[in-house]
Amino acid sequence: MKLMILLLFCHGASAVEHSLKIYHIISSGHPNIPDYVGITDFEDTGMTYYDSNMTMIEPRHDWVSKLMEGDPQHWKKKSQDCKNYEQVFKDEANSFNQHSKQTGGVYIVQQIFGCVWDDETQKADGFKEYAYNGEDILKFDLQTETWIAANPQAEITKHEWDGNTANNQFWKNFLTNFCPELVKKYLTYASAFLHRTDLPSVSLLQKSPSSPVSCHATGFYPDRALMLWRKDGEDLHEDVDQGEILPNHDGSFQMRVDLKLSSVKPEDWRRYDCVFQLSGADDKIITKLDKAEIRTNSGKPSDTTVPIFVAVVVLAVILISVIGFTVYKKKKERDSKELSRCSYQNCNIEPKCNCAQKSEAINNNETATLRFCKRD
């Protein structure tokens, strides 16, 4: 019962399935970042944020703010629940660290739990997992109400937790009953946000004069769109590299399509254009292949370049903690794309930008208030 009270609101799709996912992160050994972070995702979009330096949960979207304004005392209590659960999770993290026999240095423990609810079949499926330094260690089995250990070090904790039947029964009820009810509640507030239509900004990018030209669109919603290169109005299929639709932390999406210039004669540039179109929409965004419009490494850097890379060092450990759920994300449908949040627009033209810096850049470039790398 105590655990239920503590966790009640320390939380953070497709047209049919709706998801709520809650992330807790404990890190040690880094003085410049919070040692506890709690993140809530609703419909794979950042909903709320909380860390050990705060007293109240922070909303990440206007619809969440309206939800909080409707019952401020309720949210105040849930913020306290998050603060209390911080100690519960720290105790679990210390136990994992002892069992790992790690004697020093930085260690990171991640916890993810939540549910997916199908609004047609009314069926719900829940999950709860732990990872230590990026490796899976424990997973809750809803059917048997027991824990599955991923390595020998986790066996000790598994046997301890298997014996706590009351806590395991609570988790099964929470994940299969209470969590889906939260999803339904949030859907009523988030409806306008989820059903909006946003057009993207489109840019032409090029790493070097010999590199392909990328037509990059970012900020569009929903995640159903067509993007292609044309020549004389005809779709191109050769010398074209089609990228995936990837999520931005603010709930919008980005995509790109590359054109190899080796087959394009200089005098023929005017015959090429890039087309973006949202699924079901009549309007198209057409961008002509124009050398004057291409952003390259030799061009003037954007104003956000300096703050982007200053923030990289401060957020490095939290980035690692998020990447630590790679294994889990690859197991779950729809979640694999969340690990590819590098800003193609700002990082692809920077030769010294590694993968870690890219993930940092997209989060810091797109919102100054973001405090964690994700997958917001």
Side-chain angles (χ1 to χ4, degrees):
M1 182 63 69
K2 179 180 179 182
L3 186 58
M4 178 175 69
I5 294 174
L6 295 179
L7 284 173
L8 199 55
F9 255 79
C10 194
H11 315 315
S14 66
V16 174
E17 291 188 339
H18 308 280
S19 64
L20 178 66
K21 301 169 187 174
I22 302 93
Y23 304 84
H24 295 294
I25 304 166
I26 290 286
S27 60
S28 71
H30 199 295
N32 296 324
I33 63 172
D35 54 9
Y36 169 75
V37 175
I39 302 164
T40 305
D41 272 9
F42 180 64
E43 300 292 62
D44 293 329
T45 302
M47 177 181 171
T48 62
Y49 173 88
Y50 179 86
D51 67 41
S52 52
N53 297 324
M54 300 166 56
T55 58
M56 289 289 291
I57 299 172
E58 284 188 355
R60 289 305 184 195
H61 290 284
D62 290 342
W63 71 268
V64 186
S65 299
K66 294 178 181 178
L67 180 62
M68 291 182 173
E69 290 171 2
D71 194 348
Q73 291 302 316
H74 175 78
W75 284 96
K76 183 178 180 180
K77 180 180 180 301
K78 300 318 165 188
S79 295
Q80 184 61 45
D81 290 343
C82 288
K83 187 174 182 64
N84 294 338
Y85 184 63
E86 177 182 346
Q87 187 57 52
V88 174
F89 189 38
K90 281 183 176 180
D91 291 342
E92 293 177 341
N94 289 334
S95 176
F96 293 147
N97 189 47
Q98 292 173 5
H99 295 160
S100 73
K101 299 180 181 180
Q102 180 173 329
T103 57
V106 176
Y107 71 85
I108 300 170
V109 180
Q110 306 98 351
Q111 177 195 87
I112 178 172
F113 62 89
C115 60
V116 177
W117 174 69
D118 191 311
D119 64 8
E120 287 190 352
T121 65
Q122 301 298 305
K123 291 182 178 180
D125 186 24
F127 51 88
K128 187 173 192 287
E129 300 186 19
Y130 289 83
Y132 181 84
N133 285 346
E135 297 293 333
D136 288 351
I137 51 175
L138 283 169
K139 177 180 180 180
F140 186 57
D141 188 327
L142 284 172
Q143 301 302 318
T144 63
E145 297 182 26
T146 59
W147 294 87
I148 300 172
N151 56 50
Q153 290 77 16
E155 288 290 343
I156 299 175
T157 303
K158 166 192 163 48
H159 292 303
E160 291 176 354
W161 290 7
D162 282 352
N164 191 346
T165 56
N167 186 57
N168 295 338
Q169 288 172 358
F170 157 73
W171 274 113
K172 181 171 184 177
N173 181 63
F174 181 94
L175 297 173
T176 58
N177 294 311
F178 187 73
C179 182
E181 290 303 315
L182 286 178
V183 172
K184 298 173 189 178
K185 177 178 181 178
Y186 294 157
L187 280 172
T188 62
Y189 284 87
S191 178
F193 170 77
L194 297 173
H195 291 90
R196 73 191 190 281
T197 299
D198 296 335
L199 293 176
S201 60
V202 180
S203 304
L204 298 179
L205 311 173
Q206 190 178 29
K207 209 170 186 180
S208 69
S210 60
S211 301
V213 172
S214 296
C215 187
H216 178 258
T218 186
F220 62 89
Y221 188 92
D223 62 343
R224 298 180 295 278
L226 172 69
M227 196 172 189
L228 51 85
W229 279 101
R230 301 186 308 188
K231 179 181 179 182
D232 296 330
E234 297 293 327
D235 297 355
L236 286 176
H237 301 288
E238 295 184 359
D239 298 318
V240 170
D241 181 19
Q242 181 72 58
E244 292 182 283
I245 295 179
L246 304 173
N248 293 323
H249 70 268
D250 62 357
S252 65
F253 297 88
Q254 62 173 292
M255 69 183 304
R256 66 169 178 80
V257 58
D258 296 346
L259 173 65
K260 296 180 182 178
L261 292 180
S262 58
S263 60
V264 180
K265 297 178 181 179
E267 61 269 22
D268 290 339
W269 276 45
R270 59 183 178 81
R271 301 170 61 186
Y272 290 79
D273 56 38
C274 171
V275 179
F276 174 91
Q277 185 176 19
L278 284 174
S279 178
D282 295 328
D283 296 336
K284 299 178 181 179
I285 299 178
I286 300 175
T287 305
K288 290 287 186 180
L289 181 59
D290 185 345
K291 185 172 294 188
E293 298 299 324
I294 297 176
R295 295 180 56 196
T296 67
N297 285 336
S298 59
K300 183 179 178 181
S302 66
D303 295 338
T304 59
T305 301
V306 173
I308 287 173
F309 290 100
V310 169
V312 167
V313 175
V314 177
L315 294 175
V317 174
I318 296 180
L319 173 65
I320 293 171
S321 69
V322 173
I323 294 175
F325 276 112
T326 301
V327 176
Y328 172 80
K329 292 298 179 184
K330 289 183 178 179
K331 291 178 182 176
K332 303 294 181 180
E333 293 181 2
R334 309 177 313 280
D335 288 350
S336 60
K337 293 181 181 180
E338 292 193 64
L339 299 175
S340 302
R341 297 211 170 194
C342 298
S343 175
Y344 196 91
Q345 183 173 5
N346 291 295
C347 290
N348 193 51
I349 61 173
E350 173 54 56
K352 295 182 179 180
C353 183
N354 58 38
C355 289
Q357 288 173 323
K358 288 182 181 180
S359 293
E360 299 283 356
I362 186 65
N363 287 284
N364 289 280
N365 183 43
E366 294 190 359
T367 172
T369 61
L370 187 66
R371 300 190 182 184
F372 57 95
C373 299
K374 259 189 89 243
R375 342 181 290 2
D376 180 52

